[in-house]
Structure formats: structure tokens, C-alpha cells
Amino acid sequence: MSAKSQGFPWNLLVGFILSIALTLLAVFVAIYTDFSNHVILWVLGVLAIFQAIIQLFMFMHVTEGKEGIINVINMVNSIILALIIVFGSIWVLTSGHASLH
Amino acid sequence: MTSHTTPLEYQSKQTQMNILGFWIFLGAEIVLFSTLFASYFVLEHNTASGPAGQDIFILKDVLIQTFILLTSSFTSGLAIHSMRNQDKRGLLIWMIVTLLLGAGFLYMEINEFIHYVHEGATIQTSGFTAALFTLLGTHGAHVTFGIIWISLLLVQLVRRGITVQTSSKLFIASLYWHFLDVVWIFIFTFVYLKGMVM
């Protein structure tokens, strides 16, 4: 992908169509399939992560510029922190709290 | 990446650093929203005999909001594409379309909040509604700020044209706008879809 965009922005159009398709797929899996809640949640999670990756790479050009690698490291660091905060909170306040009784 | 293919917004040391700094800010925003998501996931089952997610969420409206925001992310991408082709008119038009879509999203979100209050779900009803309104409200406040910010940048663009400074500001604003779309994808998935299924 060249830094200077010229001609028709195919990567944007493909990213847009993919994000719409992934949204509809998520709705379909959530509402119209008979998988267990556990499986549905995992599928939805994977679809959401795909959409975030599309935004980061096709729309935000995260790797572009001289500091591209710093951007990626910064994003990975933030995502790890986010996962620790979310799953850590759920873990402490469900299993941790329950074992007090 | 050779210098002659470098976009305008990266052509001064200062604007390069501004863009890098904004990415670091977005990292902090990810952590901010993760704390709100964590609160929501911990509190979502504490409905205190008030309404739960599946009682108040309306899939059709939420889907429309999602498509509006996804489209606005696409149009802000087209705006930056125009900017890099030195097309000031295209940049202006696509950014205005983005702002109108953002305003449409806000209109739907405000109606959604009014609907929730009518259903008996205010921010004080339960742990679930408090966490829900805080998460959605923080995202909506970001969208509101983005609309004001980009509107002001467009005034600068009309007056000064596409320069190293204005292009870097608009590029940074487009990063912000895409980021709000990313946050919304997770709200749509883990608040609305999860709430309606489970």
C-alpha cells in the first residue's frame, strides 16, 4: 500500500463493505442461530476484533509514517491493558467475590 | 517509504510528532473505554428489578446507528483520500457528509435515551442502567466533541487551504473519528447483541 493514495480508494471501499458484512453476520449469528451462548459470544468477539483490525489498517493506516512501528507497539500495549482491565475486573468480581462466602 | 511519496501531513517534524502524540492519546482512550466496559460487564446483571437489556434494546434502531457510524467512518476515509490528492472540494464535501452522519447518529442516540427513560430505565435505576448510560454517554460525548472539532477545522480549511498544518489536523481528526467507530463496534457487539441474546 503506497503512502500517497491516488486513483480509486479500493482499500476504503473493501474495508467498508467488509465492515457492513461483518456487522450483518454478527446479527445473524446472535439472533438466528441455535449455538450455545458461549459459542455465540466467542464468534461475536472474533467478528468485532476483525472489524477493529479493518478500521486500524484499512482506514487509519496504523503502520504508516516513520513512527509506524511505534504506533503498532503502542496499540498492542493499550489492547493488552484493556484486556487485563476488562477480564481482570470480571474475574475478581465474580470468582473472587463468590469465594468470600 | 521515500520522501516524495510521504503525505503532506507528515512533511514537518512537528506534524509528525503531533500524529504520533495523537496515537498515544488514542492508546489512553482505549484504556478509558476499557474501564467503562469492565464496569458494564461487572454490573450488567444487577438490574435491581428494573428493566434488563433485552427489555429496552431495539435491534432495528441500533443497527441503523451502526450503519450510520460505519458509513461516516468510510466517508471520513474518503475525505482523507481526497486531501492526499490535493482535492480541497472533495475533502470538504466528504467531511461535511461525515459530520451530517455523525449528527444523525447523535439524533438517534438521544431518541434512544429518551425511549429508555420512558421505559423506566434512568441512570439511577440500577447498576446495569448506570453502567450503560455512562458507557453510551461517554461515547456520545466523544462524537459530539468530534463534530464541533471537525466543524472548526473545516473553517480553517476554507480559509487556509490544504497546508502541512491543516492537513495534519484533519488527518488527526479522521483518526479520532475512526477510533469512535471502533469503540462503537464493541458497544454494538458486547452491549446490544450480547444483551439481546443472553
Side-chain angles (χ1 to χ4, degrees), chain B residues 25-180:
Chain B
F25 167 74
L26 287 184
E29 289 277 273
I30 289 177
V31 174
L32 164 72
F33 277 101
S34 78
T35 63
L36 298 176
F37 272 106
S39 315
Y40 177 79
F41 292 142
V42 165
L43 292 169
E44 66 178 324
H45 301 297
N46 302 6
T47 51
S49 56
Q54 64 252 61
D55 303 325
I56 53 174
F57 295 158
I58 302 170
L59 179 62
K60 191 186 101 210
D61 290 358
V62 176
L63 257 182
I64 294 171
Q65 279 178 288
T66 305
F67 288 144
I68 289 176
L69 214 56
L70 284 174
T71 309
S72 81
S73 191
F74 174 57
T75 56
S76 73
L78 290 176
I80 297 305
H81 178 80
S82 303
M83 184 176 87
R84 290 185 172 181
N85 286 335
Q86 289 296 317
D87 175 7
K88 182 176 158 184
R89 195 166 153 267
L91 168 58
L92 201 59
I93 289 170
W94 285 121
M95 271 301 179
I96 289 171
V97 172
T98 304
L99 291 180
L100 290 176
L101 289 167
F105 171 84
L106 270 186
Y107 173 77
M108 293 217 48
E109 185 156 64
I110 291 166
N111 273 341
E112 180 195 349
F113 280 15
I114 293 170
H115 161 74
Y116 291 168
V117 171
H118 278 298
E119 298 280 318
T122 71
I123 197 166
Q124 294 182 316
T125 305
S126 63
F128 160 67
T129 59
L132 177 73
F133 277 113
T134 309
L135 177 57
L136 296 180
T138 306
H139 179 267
H142 274 76
V143 174
T144 312
F145 177 78
I147 290 173
I148 297 167
W149 178 22
I150 294 175
S151 304
L152 294 175
L153 289 183
L154 290 184
V155 174
Q156 270 195 351
L157 175 72
V158 170
R159 287 186 176 171
R160 299 183 194 171
I162 300 175
T163 67
V164 176
Q165 274 74 32
T166 55
S167 66
S168 77
K169 288 177 184 177
L170 281 161
F171 179 71
I172 285 170
S174 83
L175 290 182
Y176 180 80
W177 199 264
H178 293 311
F179 172 75
L180 293 183

Side-chain angles (χ1 to χ4, degrees), chain A residues 3-9 12-13 16 19-20 23-24 26-27 30-31 37-38 40-41 44-45 47-49 51-52 55-56 59-67 70-71 74-75 78-79 81-83 85-86 89-90 93, chain B residues 1 4-7 9-10 13 16-17 20 23-24 26-28 30-31 34-35 37-38 41-42 59 63 66-67 70-71 73-74 77-78 80-81 84-85 171 175 178-179 181-182 185-186 188-190 193-194 196-198:
Chain A
K4 186 164 191 166
S5 38
Q6 282 168 334
F8 193 77
L12 290 177
L13 187 65
F16 177 57
S19 58
I20 294 283
T23 303
L24 291 174
V27 173
I31 311 288
N37 286 350
H38 190 73
I40 288 176
L41 209 53
L44 292 183
L47 292 176
I49 290 165
Q51 288 222 46
Q55 291 285 330
L56 272 176
F59 286 6
M60 297 168 83
H61 312 287
V62 62
T63 54
E64 161 186 282
K66 287 199 182 75
E67 288 81 22
I70 302 178
N71 287 343
N74 175 41
M75 282 295 114
S78 302
I79 291 163
L81 284 174
L83 291 174
I85 291 167
V86 170
S89 300
I90 294 170
L93 290 162
Chain B
M1 201 174 292
H4 66 274
T5 59
T6 307
E9 61 269 24
Y10 288 99
K13 191 72 191 165
Q16 274 178 35
M17 288 299 112
L20 174 64
W23 274 103
I24 293 169
L26 287 184
I30 289 177
V31 174
S34 78
T35 63
F37 272 106
F41 292 142
V42 165
L59 179 62
L63 257 182
T66 305
F67 288 144
L70 284 174
T71 309
S73 191
F74 174 57
L78 290 176
I80 297 305
H81 178 80
R84 290 185 172 181
N85 286 335
F171 179 71
L175 290 182
H178 293 311
F179 172 75
D181 191 53
V182 174
I185 289 161
F186 284 92
F188 172 72
T189 305
F190 291 110
L193 282 183
K194 180 169 176 259
M196 275 181 275
V197 174
M198 272 143 240

